[in-house]
Amino acid sequence: MDSEKIFFGDLYKVTKYDIEMDWESKIENECFTPGLGHAKKEITLYKKHAILLKTFDGHYVDLDNLNLLLTLRIYHKIPFTSQNALLITTPLKENQIFVDSSSITPYLSTKTNVDLKIVRKWQKQAK
């Protein structure tokens, strides 16, 4: 596993998510033009210093959950989905877990191969 794809970051959970629309911009048939409202969010800290694997499309996977996801996939035939495996940096709904983009820091600054046992040891020390 390349260390350049491993990051530390804080995970947050959205406890409340409301979209407030600009009612003056409402169109007659109850459709809204994107960007005419704003989201009001309440968030709480879910996990501090999570170890994250960055995917090719810019999402993140929490390495603590990876063993559980692999077990579900192998033994119970439950597939990976974006809802249960991939984390994003911008929350879009209530009860969603997301990565705080301002807290993301690289695991190592040089490109090396990293053993996952070392990653888990560093995570325990960070707590």
Side-chain angles (χ1 to χ4, degrees):
M1 181 179 300
D2 290 336
S3 64
E4 65 186 13
K5 295 184 182 201
I6 300 176
F7 295 88
F8 287 113
D10 296 337
L11 302 181
Y12 287 88
K13 184 174 184 177
V14 179
T15 55
K16 186 176 181 181
Y17 190 90
D18 291 326
I19 297 178
E20 295 179 354
M21 299 303 295
D22 180 5
W23 292 105
E24 294 174 1
S25 302
K26 185 177 175 182
I27 301 174
E28 294 177 9
N29 61 358
E30 298 294 326
C31 293
F32 297 99
T33 306
L36 294 179
H38 65 278
K40 187 175 181 181
K41 302 175 279 215
E42 291 180 13
I43 58 172
T44 59
L45 182 64
Y46 183 76
K47 186 187 293 184
K48 190 153 182 78
H49 299 298
I51 299 176
L52 307 167
L53 175 66
K54 188 172 184 177
T55 63
F56 68 93
D57 58 353
H59 292 89
Y60 294 90
V61 176
D62 184 3
L63 289 181
D64 279 345
N65 294 339
L66 194 58
N67 285 339
L68 172 66
L69 294 170
L70 288 172
T71 302
L72 291 173
R73 175 72 179 126
I74 293 169
Y75 296 112
H76 303 288
K77 307 295 186 229
I78 298 173
F80 290 149
T81 64
S82 60
Q83 295 173 349
N84 65 10
L86 300 178
L87 301 172
I88 57 175
T89 56
T90 307
L92 302 172
K93 60 184 177 179
E94 196 169 315
N95 294 323
Q96 184 176 25
I97 298 170
F98 69 98
V99 180
D100 179 20
S101 59
S102 64
S103 71
I104 296 173
T105 57
Y107 176 75
L108 293 175
S109 59
T110 59
K111 184 177 179 180
T112 59
N113 287 329
V114 177
D115 187 9
L116 285 179
K117 291 180 183 177
I118 296 171
V119 173
R120 298 228 183 263
K121 183 178 177 182
W122 276 40
Q123 181 186 26
K124 288 179 182 177
Q125 291 175 352
K127 289 182 180 180

